Amino acid sequence: AAAFVAAGYVLLRTAANPVRAVLLWIANPLLIVELVMGGHLDNYLALTAITAIVVSRRCARRWHDLVVGLLVGVSGGIQINAGLVALGIAIPLIHDRAWARLARTAATALVTTAGLYYISWGFTALRPLWNASKLVGSPIWRLIEECAQAIDPNSVPAVTTAIGLVWAPLLLALAWYLYNRLSPDVPTVLAAACALTFAWVIVAPWALPWYTSIAWVTLALLPRNSLTRWLTLATGTLAMLHFNGGWPGTPTS
């Protein structure tokens, strides 16, 4: 809960429309149930991610790049989809050809992630990612698998393999479409991070409702747009699909 509130404080201090930020993050019942009551690490991911985005947007000194890299590195250690935030931060630097800033930020992020997490824990830390890459839980892809199962049960492994090959290009295509639909007045880093994280929620084969935290926290900094209702629908759908009514498993009676 502390990280959730801290992320809300960052939004209040930096949002052009603080009321919108409060409604989308702090007073959002979906996020209160999934992030606060669920006690997920995605609270910390949202906090470090939005802080990195805000610092990269407003500051341009060398030590700011190191701070951004540190925050991105910590985010990457919490969850691998923080790489989308890193890409969103890198896009305006690439556009401006700020190669020195990009190199400082990327090097710091890589050292932080590798040093704090993967060197200390070993590459076994990537095992959950490898296991999740073989799963299909997203409603869209699950429906496709179920249709394949109904037509020909033997085709399911091939369909699962095909999903694993096509979802990443589809993610980039959807992110590009969403990025171009946002107002040109929206800062590039915010638009890119929001589009990428929202597309990941929709397209990734394995999606859970608390994975939407980064998309929500970046969306709260944007002016009013149509992504709000679509993210609400996506989060609500995932929340209903993963709601067990308090049972640890399937009840036997």
Side-chain angles (χ1 to χ4, degrees):
F4 183 83
V5 173
Y9 177 76
V10 173
L11 292 175
L12 286 174
R13 292 294 302 270
T14 57
N17 188 342
V19 175
R20 172 181 164 81
V22 168
L23 293 176
L24 288 187
W25 183 260
I26 300 176
N28 189 329
L30 276 174
L31 299 186
I32 292 173
V33 171
E34 295 300 334
L35 295 179
V36 180
M37 296 180 64
H40 293 287
L41 288 175
D42 297 77
N43 287 301
Y44 296 97
L45 178 62
L47 173 60
T48 54
I50 197 61
T51 305
I53 290 171
V54 169
V55 174
S56 69
R57 172 189 168 191
R58 296 193 169 193
C59 308
R61 296 183 179 180
R62 292 184 179 180
W63 71 271
H64 292 140
D65 297 332
L66 301 180
V67 171
V68 172
L70 178 65
L71 291 168
V72 170
V74 172
S75 301
I78 297 173
Q79 197 171 100
I80 196 65
N81 65 322
L84 299 173
V85 176
L87 180 58
I89 292 173
I91 286 175
L93 298 179
I94 295 172
H95 180 268
D96 297 338
R97 297 185 179 182
W99 307 121
R101 291 191 60 196
L102 180 62
R104 283 193 297 268
T105 304
T108 306
L110 290 173
V111 169
T112 302
T113 302
L116 291 181
Y117 297 96
Y118 299 114
I119 290 179
S120 59
W121 286 94
F123 288 102
T124 55
L126 295 174
R127 187 173 298 168
L129 175 64
W130 174 253
N131 295 334
S133 67
K134 303 176 183 178
L135 301 174
V136 176
S138 173
I140 297 174
W141 297 121
R142 188 62 181 171
L143 177 61
I144 293 175
E145 270 200 342
E146 292 294 332
C147 291
Q149 174 75 22
I151 296 172
D152 181 8
N154 296 325
S155 67
V156 174
V159 171
T160 302
T161 301
I163 291 172
L165 293 175
V166 304
W167 76 267
L170 286 177
L171 182 151
L172 295 176
L174 178 59
W176 178 252
Y177 170 78
L178 296 174
Y179 175 82
N180 289 319
R181 289 292 300 272
L182 291 172
S183 171
D185 296 331
V186 175
T188 302
V189 64
L190 283 177
C194 184
L196 285 165
T197 53
F198 181 85
W200 186 78
V201 170
I202 300 299
V203 178
W206 185 251
L208 295 170
W210 45 90
Y211 287 1
T212 62
S213 63
I214 304 181
W216 276 109
V217 79
T218 52
L219 186 64
L221 285 180
L222 299 181
R224 183 178 179 181
N225 60 79
S226 60
L227 286 184
T228 305
R229 68 174 69 96
W230 292 112
L231 185 57
T232 302
L233 179 61
T235 307
T237 300
L238 291 172
M240 293 301 296
L241 289 174
H242 293 278
F243 178 69
N244 62 4
W247 288 88
T250 303
T252 57
S253 61

